[in-house]
Amino acid sequence: MDAPDRPGILLVDDDDAITTALGPFLERSGFSVRIAGDGRDALREVERDVPDLVVCDVLMPHVDGREFVRRVRARQLWLPIILLTQVGESWERSAALDEGADDYLNKPFDPHELISRIRAVLRRTAQGGATLRSAHRLRAADLVLDRTARRVWRADAELSLTPKAMTLLEYLMLHPGEVHTREHLLATLWGFDFTTSSRAVDHRIAELRRVLGEAGAGGPFIETAQSIGYQFVARVVPA
């Protein structure tokens, strides 16, 4: 078992160049790291000893990253999983998140960003994030989001959102209190080149703020963080 002060990371990738460089970097960053060469080996590792978090490539032989997520979730294991891929299509990202991945990074990525994402996901899991991920409905104050039906209500009145705004709202509510840059939201939910599409996030945030209104005495549901991104600031619980 991993020492309590060193969270255990299972790094899954069939590219030796990735695991050889990234494994030691994660170790130096304070994690205890195990390596698996594909999803099939990763399932064996999880069966042997459940890690604190999995960093998993998507495109692999035998069992790919999305199938790994599906099999882990089918076992009712809600360990955090961050997927890595070179596939940029937004539908691929949305499908992986819908199937139970906790976060998504596109290759090539900055290893320091991965560390930040790992720590954020671990904090969220410690605060009940796994429960949010498994919930069919999410609630913040009198706002309720039905993840399955893709519907949202405020004080029992149904609200109308565009599909992309709905996806953005779900992602923010699944990651409460975390600051997300426009670039990260675009890469995760849109798959667009943020140098030409950075206003897409701002437009959908404006839509959410207009439709959702204020959270109550505490202020808005979504706040701008240091002019670099956004965060969902209201407390989120399973509904």
Side-chain angles (χ1 to χ4, degrees):
M1 296 294 291
D2 297 317
D5 58 343
R6 289 178 65 84
I9 304 295
L10 177 60
L11 176 60
V12 189
D13 202 307
D14 62 326
D15 187 343
D16 290 341
I18 295 291
T19 55
T20 299
L22 192 55
F25 180 80
L26 292 170
E27 289 275 0
R28 292 193 300 272
S29 300
F31 302 102
S32 178
V33 180
R34 286 184 285 152
I35 304 294
D38 57 49
R40 186 171 59 188
D41 290 343
L43 289 169
R44 295 193 190 104
E45 287 293 323
V46 169
E47 191 73 26
R48 182 175 67 84
D49 186 8
V50 178
D52 293 298
L53 183 142
V54 179
V55 176
C56 184
D57 190 28
V58 169
L59 301 178
M60 296 182 296
H62 307 305
V63 175
D64 66 20
R66 287 180 56 193
E67 179 63 21
F68 171 78
V69 172
R70 286 194 290 269
R71 293 192 189 185
V72 167
R73 297 307 184 225
R75 298 181 188 182
Q76 300 301 306
L77 288 175
W78 291 97
L79 71 152
I81 301 173
I82 298 176
L83 292 180
L84 309 174
T85 188
Q86 292 178 334
V87 178
E89 287 83 354
S90 59
W91 67 266
E92 177 81 17
R93 301 165 191 275
S94 298
L97 293 170
D98 287 344
E99 289 162 357
D102 293 86
D103 215 335
Y104 214 101
L105 278 180
N106 199 38
K107 292 180 177 180
F109 56 87
D110 182 344
H112 293 92
E113 181 181 359
L114 175 60
I115 294 297
S116 296
R117 289 288 147 189
I118 288 173
R119 289 174 176 160
V121 170
L122 288 174
R123 285 195 303 270
R124 185 169 69 251
T125 303
Q127 297 166 2
T131 303
L132 293 181
R133 170 58 64 186
S134 60
H136 294 294
R137 285 191 171 201
L138 305 174
R139 178 185 298 275
D142 60 352
L143 176 70
V144 175
L145 170 66
D146 188 316
R147 301 176 62 205
T148 303
R150 314 305 293 167
R151 299 170 69 184
V152 62
W153 295 266
R154 181 83 198 271
D156 298 324
E158 186 166 0
L159 307 178
S160 178
L161 290 172
T162 60
K164 189 58 70 177
M166 182 75 73
T167 299
L168 177 57
L169 176 62
E170 177 186 27
Y171 187 79
L172 292 174
M173 291 183 73
L174 286 170
H175 302 76
E178 293 181 29
V179 176
H180 303 280
T181 65
R182 294 172 177 85
E183 292 84 356
H184 178 74
L185 292 172
L186 279 166
T188 302
L189 302 177
W190 271 261
F192 291 167
D193 179 355
F194 67 83
T195 60
T196 59
S197 309
S198 61
R199 294 294 296 174
V201 172
D202 297 331
H203 292 324
R204 296 289 74 80
I205 289 289
E207 176 187 347
L208 288 176
R209 285 173 167 164
R210 182 179 67 254
V211 175
L212 302 185
E214 298 290 310
F221 286 105
I222 300 169
E223 289 186 353
T224 302
Q226 302 172 347
S227 300
I228 61 171
Y230 302 101
Q231 64 181 143
F232 195 89
V233 294
R235 180 172 179 263
V236 181
V237 297

